């Protein structure tokens, strides 16, 4: 068995059946993705649109692709036809554009709202204040061609586990307050996407329903 297949199987055996594993294949070749796919992995995450477009035509059609990186408005139309989920919705404007592109092809696109939980400035995402302002001003449930399925966040890159745990706990609290405040009537609002190779165990303890794992499956990226 290849390392990649072994890693997929090992991780899968450690996860509760309610938690979804998204294999993050950014910067990794198609051959690596095939190995993971052959080990039973169906969900893959990429963070760049061009890279995703290049790869997906070379790969099995039943792969479910998640976009996990910042999405530029002008690229939305390229991914809407096939994307399984856009985890990185970080502005209301982007949500409106996804909705209108999805409407054109009569599709409904699953989305997560990315919330900024880290102290690093470089990570994208809404602040909770900004998000609540948006949700008060606009009725996102009126955008019929996007389906808000929950939230996504990235913790600070640090060895301070207490800090990471707090950030995940904060994201979980955000999830529940959004659910209570705005999405109570939606059966789809149920995903809490948090946890990467270095911190997924902490994320699971804090209630993650979806982990995004790259290097632990495919090895370090260059
Ligand atoms: C790269 C990336 C991951 C995976 O990171 P690893 O540390 O390799 O597991 C998860 N989420 C996002 C948003 C990423 O950009």
């Amino acid at each position: 068995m290849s390392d990649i297949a072994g890693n997929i199987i090992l991780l899968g055996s450690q996860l509760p059946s309610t938690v979804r594993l998204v294999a993050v294949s950014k910067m990794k070749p198609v051959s690596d993705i095939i190995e993971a796919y052959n080990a039973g992995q169906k969900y893959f995450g990429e963070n760049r649109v061009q890279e995703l477009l290049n790869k997906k035509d070379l790969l099995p059609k039943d792969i479910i692709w998640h976009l996990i990186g910042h999405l530029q408005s002008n690229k939305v139309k390229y991914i809407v036809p096939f994307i399984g989920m856009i985890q990185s919705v970080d502005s209301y404007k982007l949500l409106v554009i996804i909705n209108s592109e999805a409407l054109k092809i009569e599709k409904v696109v699953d989305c997560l709202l990315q919330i900024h939980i880290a102290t690093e400035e470089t990570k994208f995402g809404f602040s909770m204040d900004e998000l609540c302002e948006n949700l008060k001003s606009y009725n996102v449930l009126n955008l019929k061609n996007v389906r808000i399925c929950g939230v996504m966040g990235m913790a600070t890159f640090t060895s301070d586990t207490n800090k990471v745990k707090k950030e995940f706990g904060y994201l979980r609290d955000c999830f529940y307050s959004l659910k209570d405040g705005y999405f109570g009537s939606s059966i789809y609002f149920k995903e809490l996407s948090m946890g990467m190779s270095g911190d997924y165990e902490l994320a699971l303890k804090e209630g993650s329903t979806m982990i995004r794992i790259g290097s632990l499956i495919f090895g370090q990226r260059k």
Side-chain angles (χ1 to χ4, degrees), residues 24 26 47 68 152 154 196-197 212-215 221:
V24 176
K26 63 186 182 195
N47 66 339
I68 60 170
M152 183 271 257
M154 282 168 94
M196 315 191 345
S197 294
R212 309 175 309 269
I213 306 288
S215 43
R221 289 176 297 274

Side-chain angles (χ1 to χ4, degrees), residues 58-190:
L58 305 170
L59 285 158
K61 295 288 166 267
D62 63 340
I63 284 183
I64 299 165
W65 292 104
H66 283 200
L67 190 78
I68 60 170
H70 178 63
L71 175 58
Q72 288 171 313
S73 311
N74 60 335
K75 297 201 172 144
V76 170
K77 59 177 176 290
Y78 302 117
I79 63 162
V80 158
F82 71 89
I83 203 78
M85 181 178 271
I86 300 175
Q87 293 207 11
S88 42
V89 174
D90 55 11
S91 72
Y92 180 71
K93 178 180 153 241
L94 181 60
L95 199 61
V96 170
I97 292 167
I98 297 167
N99 187 70
S100 74
E101 291 299 331
L103 179 62
K104 282 184 196 163
I105 58 167
E106 295 178 47
K107 196 185 153 170
V108 178
V109 177
D110 286 355
C111 294
L112 300 182
L113 302 168
Q114 183 174 354
I115 298 179
H116 188 278
I117 58 171
T119 36
E120 290 124 331
E121 292 287 334
T122 49
K123 286 175 179 147
F124 286 97
F126 289 99
S127 71
M128 195 54 181
D129 282 350
E130 180 192 6
L131 182 54
C132 289
E133 277 306 310
N134 279 303
L135 292 170
K136 268 182 216 132
S137 315
Y138 313 106
N139 191 348
V140 300
L141 295 172
N142 282 347
L143 300 174
K144 296 294 181 206
N145 294 77
V146 289
R147 183 181 285 146
I148 311 291
C149 298
V151 299
M152 183 271 257
M154 282 168 94
T156 305
F157 185 71
T158 171
S159 55
D160 181 350
T161 53
N162 243 333
K163 182 175 172 65
V164 173
K165 185 173 151 33
K166 267 193 206 136
E167 290 174 354
F168 286 150
Y170 173 70
L171 186 60
R172 181 201 51 228
D173 294 346
C174 290
F175 171 82
Y176 283 108
S177 79
L178 292 169
K179 192 169 173 62
D180 288 347
Y182 304 97
F183 297 100
S185 64
S186 166
I187 56 166
Y188 301 108
F189 193 87
K190 56 183 165 50

Side-chain angles (χ1 to χ4, degrees), residues 34-65:
I34 294 280
E35 280 185 36
Y37 176 84
N38 287 340
Q41 183 63 26
K42 285 287 169 340
Y43 292 81
F44 289 87
E46 288 279 341
N47 66 339
R48 288 166 189 265
V49 169
Q50 193 54 55
E51 186 178 344
L52 171 54
L53 294 174
N54 293 344
K55 285 173 173 174
K56 70 130 181 133
D57 287 335
L58 305 170
L59 285 158
K61 295 288 166 267
D62 63 340
I63 284 183
I64 299 165
W65 292 104

